[in-house]
Amino acid sequence: MNLSAIRTLFLGIFLVTSFASYSQNESSALEETLLEENEKENKFDPKSMIMHHVKDAYGFHIIDIGEKKYSISLPIILWTDNGLTTFMSSAFDHDYYGNVVVESNGGKFVNYKEKIYQLNPGEDTLVKGEDGYPANTTKPLDISITKNVFMMWVSMLVLFLIFIGAARKYKKSENFIPKGIASFVEPLVLFIRDEVAIPMIGEKKYARYMPYLLTVFFFIWLNNIFGLIPIINGANLTGNIAFTLTMATFTFIITTFSGNKSYWKHIFWMPGVPVPMKIFLMPIEIVGMFTKPISLMIRLFANITAGHIIILALMSLIFIFNTVAIAPVSVAFSLFIIVIEIVVTAIQAYIFTILSALYFGMATEEHEHH
Amino acid sequence: MTITGIAAIGAGLAAIGAGMGIGRIGGSAMEAMARQPEIQGKIQTSALILAAFVEAVALFGVVVALLQG
Amino acid sequence: MDLVTPGFGLVFWTAITFLILLFILKKFAWKPILGAVSSREESIKDALAAAEAARREMENLQADNERILQEARAEREAMLKDARDMKNKMIADAKEDAKQTADKMIAQAQEAIQSEKKAAIAELKGQVASLSLEIAEKVVKQELSNKGQQEKLVEDMLGKATLN
């Protein structure tokens, strides 16, 4: 009994200290935003802080110590009228209010709310219009290596290491017995095959879609997890609509190209119903063709973004109430949400994969006569 | 009332709907599992998928709210 | 609004990254892993089938053994039965022989006895006849005086003499 009491005590101390240290980490990231906000408006604006953290950024802002800001700068790549323009994001000197104007390749650029704008010729400073957006600028074609792109590449490398490593293990071992990393990877791969691909697509055709499903699952899962790591919190790749749009588009393209005769027949001329019904159903089915990938896109984006917004909003409570007393509450709540989010990372990756598989299955299904 | 406030109310309504929907799915899934524990895995999978569908509707509401942000 | 506007840069990089990822992982990871898994499953299936075949063969062998054993047992049974039969027959034959011999001997003995008896009777008859003659001579000599008595005596004598 005594032993367990001591254990409980230590566990409690550990939890309290880790809560405290976690809250420090988070609040340091928040404070820098707060400081800047205070400088401008002298008031904490949780909305702009949250939006800033959820959105993509040009470079990793790690920490502020005193007046000095530490960050990893990333290359900015723009396609302007003068051709390809590149410079490092450190040129903006951590400014994202459009105050610092960078001249490069004959153009003047500002970073306003983590979007690059090119000032119109002859202009020297950014002028905001009534809607709060820059008025005297054009938007160049922006293919910068942002925080999200960088983390995406990191995740790509991690995936290569894990899965090619696992594949090597199989080659080395006799009788294809999984060893090391392979024994971790194999249940997941088998899960995708036996629980997702085969039931949704069918025994005959699933093999064609396996590489896509596996890649999508692990890519989304890993990036979901990366989005939750506090120090790079805000590398919110899977909570970015551009990413989910691309992934959903891939699913849509594969579905469309693998659609067989009966799939198209069910869309344009539904068999087994009277002709007026056929005409009535056609537009619905055509819209349905597009809503499927759109719902995929929105589901992943909104789930992950909503999770991040909630965590950040709970953290903002400290600064809204302007007291440390609320800190334990918001840390406890956000820890709870983070634990849920860890589950959500896997569930959303699984849902995306299983729905993709479902759509492929629908496209390739051989219908009986009904 | 600002448009943002209205958007927030909309998001809240969407959350109510989704909450009821997911609650029903969860309750029925539990009932089904209690009745037929041998197909627990299948019920769980389909409940999860259905929950994702319902949730998506709520998240559409959230996205509409975000459009105002 | 910014949040739900996809940026071109990220779409571009995501598409490229994902295609590279898909291509490389397909070639270097999924194919070997899935291949290894399926060939292992195949080998397990083969091994199971082989085990099943071996078991069946074993059963067959056992059945054969059983059958051979059964046959051997039946043969032994038959041989024993033959032997027993032969023994019984021999005993029966011997008994029969002995009986026949005995019967024959008895018959011979009886025949001999009969013939002895006949001879004895014949001899006895002869002796009786001669005795009778003697007696008759004596009686005749003695009784010839009394005629009536004489005849009666002769008749009595004769009647007694035809015993056999």
Side-chain angles (χ1 to χ4, degrees):
Chain A
M1 279 303 274
N2 273 339
L3 195 68
S4 73
I6 291 167
R7 267 190 208 143
T8 321
L9 182 70
F10 273 106
L11 185 69
I13 291 169
F14 170 73
L15 283 178
V16 168
T17 45
S18 50
F19 274 22
S21 60
Y22 186 77
S23 83
Q24 272 169 6
N25 280 346
E26 278 288 293
S27 20
S28 72
L30 289 172
E31 257 157 8
E32 43 97 353
T33 330
L34 182 71
L35 277 174
E36 282 165 29
E37 296 284 339
N38 278 352
E39 277 165 22
K40 285 190 83 73
E41 295 165 29
N42 211 9
K43 187 174 161 261
F44 176 64
D45 178 9
K47 191 179 145 194
S48 74
M49 188 280 285
I50 289 170
M51 286 305 155
H52 171 63
H53 275 256
V54 168
K55 269 193 272 182
D56 205 356
Y58 299 97
F60 286 97
H61 192 168
I62 308 284
I63 198 165
D64 289 2
I65 297 170
E67 285 296 297
K68 227 168 146 38
K69 295 176 174 186
Y70 293 94
S71 64
I72 301 168
S73 64
L74 294 168
I76 287 171
I77 306 165
L78 304 168
W79 184 260
T80 61
D81 297 338
N82 299 335
L84 205 64
T85 308
T86 57
F87 52 93
M88 294 303 281
S89 67
S90 54
F92 286 120
D93 196 23
H94 308 102
D95 169 69
Y96 48 87
Y97 292 98
N99 298 328
V100 179
V101 179
V102 175
E103 280 198 55
S104 176
N105 200 14
K108 288 175 181 164
F109 303 96
V110 293
N111 179 354
Y112 181 71
K113 294 198 170 172
E114 296 295 357
K115 283 245 154 59
I116 305 267
Y117 294 91
Q118 183 177 17
L119 295 174
N120 290 337
E123 304 270 357
D124 281 333
T125 51
L126 180 76
V127 179
K128 273 191 259 182
E130 278 180 5
D131 57 349
Y133 285 95
N136 59 341
T137 55
T138 52
K139 262 176 122 178
L141 192 62
D142 183 358
I143 48 168
S144 306
I145 311 302
T146 57
K147 191 159 74 169
N148 282 347
V149 176
F150 184 77
M151 281 319 288
M152 184 160 66
W153 289 352
V154 171
S155 74
M156 180 167 75
L157 287 181
V158 172
L159 288 175
F160 283 164
L161 281 179
I162 292 174
F163 291 106
I164 296 177
R168 286 238 175 94
K169 289 271 177 195
Y170 278 108
K171 259 180 208 162
K172 274 185 205 159
S173 74
E174 285 173 40
N175 301 328
F176 310 111
I177 293 157
K179 273 186 190 138
I181 191 87
S183 54
F184 164 73
V185 163
E186 191 184 306
L188 296 169
V189 172
L190 285 183
F191 171 75
I192 295 295
R193 193 189 67 176
D194 297 337
E195 304 292 323
V196 175
I198 292 178
M200 293 297 154
I201 303 173
E203 194 82 51
K204 277 184 213 154
K205 292 169 182 162
Y206 82 95
R208 265 178 73 197
Y209 302 101
M210 274 305 282
Y212 178 76
L213 294 175
L214 285 166
T215 314
V216 160
F217 178 71
F218 289 110
F219 192 42
I220 292 177
W221 191 17
L222 192 64
N223 278 304
N224 281 347
I225 291 168
F226 276 179
L228 282 180
I229 300 172
I231 196 92
I232 48 171
N233 196 8
N236 180 17
L237 177 63
T238 45
N240 193 307
I241 198 142
F243 176 83
T244 58
L245 169 74
T246 319
M247 302 309 290
T249 309
F250 277 120
T251 295
F252 176 65
I253 291 170
I254 294 175
T255 312
T256 310
F257 275 93
S258 55
N260 58 14
K261 205 173 147 195
S262 106
Y263 172 70
W264 293 113
K265 203 175 176 189
H266 274 74
I267 285 173
F268 289 111
W269 208 240
M270 180 70 81
V273 293
V275 172
M277 203 62 188
K278 281 182 208 277
I279 293 162
F280 177 69
L281 278 175
M282 185 165 64
I284 293 176
E285 287 287 333
I286 289 169
V287 169
M289 214 167 91
F290 292 100
T291 53
K292 282 173 199 159
I294 288 171
S295 75
L296 269 187
M297 168 179 90
I298 305 248
R299 182 178 297 111
L300 183 59
F301 157 74
N303 256 296
I304 304 300
T305 305
H308 284 235
I309 287 175
I310 288 166
I311 293 169
L312 289 165
L314 286 169
M315 283 300 169
S316 302
L317 286 180
I318 304 168
F319 303 98
I320 292 167
F321 290 108
N322 210 4
T323 165
V324 189
I326 203 84
V329 177
S330 54
V331 168
F333 269 108
S334 58
L335 187 71
F336 170 66
I337 298 289
I338 282 177
V339 171
I340 290 179
E341 284 298 299
I342 289 169
V343 180
V344 167
T345 57
I347 290 182
Q348 287 307 319
Y350 168 63
I351 297 278
F352 195 101
T353 317
I354 203 166
L355 289 180
S356 296
L358 186 69
Y359 299 153
F360 300 157
M362 282 160 123
T364 55
E365 197 181 1
E366 302 287 349
H367 284 279
E368 303 295 315
H369 290 287
H370 29 191
Chain B
M1 195 185 276
T2 60
I3 191 85
T4 317
I6 295 168
I9 289 172
L13 289 174
I16 291 173
M20 283 162 72
I22 291 179
R24 276 194 63 89
I25 292 169
S28 310
M30 283 290 158
E31 231 168 76
M33 274 187 233
R35 250 173 237 232
Q36 279 168 296
E38 64 275 6
I39 51 164
Q40 194 177 10
K42 271 185 186 172
I43 295 169
Q44 219 157 22
T45 312
S46 29
L48 216 59
I49 293 171
L50 286 171
F53 276 126
V54 174
E55 194 189 39
V57 177
L59 290 170
F60 288 150
V62 170
V63 170
V64 172
L66 282 176
L67 282 172
Q68 305 306 323
Chain C
M1 191 67 204
D2 275 356
L3 209 55
V4 284
T5 319
F8 172 76
L10 196 54
V11 171
F12 175 74
W13 287 120
T14 306
I16 288 181
T17 311
F18 183 74
L19 286 176
I20 293 171
L21 196 67
L22 181 61
F23 179 73
I24 291 183
L25 282 184
K26 183 181 177 181
K27 192 152 186 212
F28 295 110
W30 307 137
K31 235 180 215 169
I33 290 175
L34 290 172
V37 167
S38 61
S39 48
R40 191 184 57 211
E41 278 168 358
E42 204 66 27
S43 72
I44 288 172
K45 211 184 277 172
D46 285 356
L48 282 177
E52 179 66 17
R55 201 179 60 84
R56 206 159 284 161
E57 199 161 326
M58 190 77 177
E59 259 171 23
N60 280 350
L61 276 178
Q62 244 164 11
D64 269 11
N65 278 354
E66 195 70 19
R67 195 171 49 76
I68 288 168
L69 215 64
Q70 207 75 35
E71 275 173 13
R73 208 172 282 146
E75 205 166 327
R76 194 194 63 180
E77 245 358 83
M79 276 162 85
L80 278 176
K81 195 166 166 276
D82 275 6
R84 209 176 293 132
D85 283 358
M86 200 175 285
K87 183 191 81 180
N88 287 345
K89 198 172 161 247
M90 276 163 83
I91 290 171
D93 282 1
K95 266 185 188 165
E96 193 72 20
D97 268 9
K99 202 180 164 215
Q100 273 179 6
T101 322
D103 282 357
K104 221 180 193 177
M105 277 164 79
I106 288 167
Q108 272 171 0
Q110 272 175 346
E111 237 167 78
I113 289 167
Q114 283 300 333
S115 57
E116 288 291 318
K117 207 171 137 188
K118 269 179 192 163
I121 288 170
E123 211 183 280
L124 204 62
K125 271 184 181 164
Q127 277 183 356
V128 168
S130 61
L131 266 175
S132 312
L133 279 175
E134 274 176 34
I135 293 166
E137 260 176 24
K138 277 175 189 170
V139 170
V140 166
K141 275 174 188 170
Q142 195 187 27
E143 303 267 333
L144 272 176
S145 49
N146 193 350
K147 191 117 180 157
Q149 236 176 348
Q150 224 177 10
E151 279 176 359
K152 198 189 169 229
L153 190 73
V154 171
E155 265 177 31
D156 274 2
M157 284 281 195
L158 278 174
K160 272 176 195 167
T162 52
L163 265 175
N164 278 322

